[in-house]
Amino acid sequence: QVPLIESGGGLVQAGGSLRLSCAASGLSFRSYAMGWFRQAPGKEREYIAATSAFGGSTFYADSVKGRFTISRDNAKSTVYLEMNSLKLEDTAVYYCAAGLGTTTTPNTYHFWGQGTQVTVSS
């Protein structure tokens, strides 16, 4: 009922910036908490950041705090992830997800996008 489509991934040099977008269809976007996760080859899916429903309070994993910024535009049914000071270890497939709360575990989110590849090079 809530398809999510990520965009904005690509190749970027270490130290650079990239902004990801996740667009949701339907008119109930504002009632969902939204999260960003990433998965690198051979690793578990990792929590990055989340924003709460309605008011849009934000939360971050320690690994990205101060570098990444999550935001949401309820009028556009879109959540964003601004990534700055990118490192080689940020290379991963990035996924957005919708759920009932800003949890840190992937299996608590109900809806997922297909992911967008972010590759950081030097």
Side-chain angles (χ1 to χ4, degrees), residues 94-112:
Y94 284 70
Y95 300 88
C96 68
L100 297 180
T102 53
T103 60
T104 62
T105 55
N107 60 5
T108 61
Y109 287 78
H110 297 101
F111 307 104
W112 292 85

Side-chain angles (χ1 to χ4, degrees), residues 46-67:
E46 175 191 14
Y47 165 79
I48 299 170
T51 179
S52 63
F54 303 108
S57 298
T58 58
F59 309 90
Y60 299 92
D62 289 340
S63 61
V64 304
K65 193 173 298 181
R67 298 192 299 123

Side-chain angles (χ1 to χ4, degrees), residues 21-63:
S21 299
C22 174
S25 65
L27 300 176
S28 62
F29 174 82
R30 63 183 179 182
S31 68
Y32 287 94
M34 300 295 298
W36 282 99
F37 294 79
R38 67 187 181 190
Q39 188 164 20
K43 290 195 169 187
E44 299 291 326
R45 191 163 296 189
E46 175 191 14
Y47 165 79
I48 299 170
T51 179
S52 63
F54 303 108
S57 298
T58 58
F59 309 90
Y60 299 92
D62 289 340
S63 61

Side-chain angles (χ1 to χ4, degrees), residues 6-12 18-21 83 92 94 116-119:
E6 302 97 336
S7 62
L11 178 65
V12 63
L18 206 61
R19 191 182 197 189
L20 306 182
S21 299
M83 304 183 294
Y94 284 70
T116 184
Q117 177 72 46
V118 173
T119 302

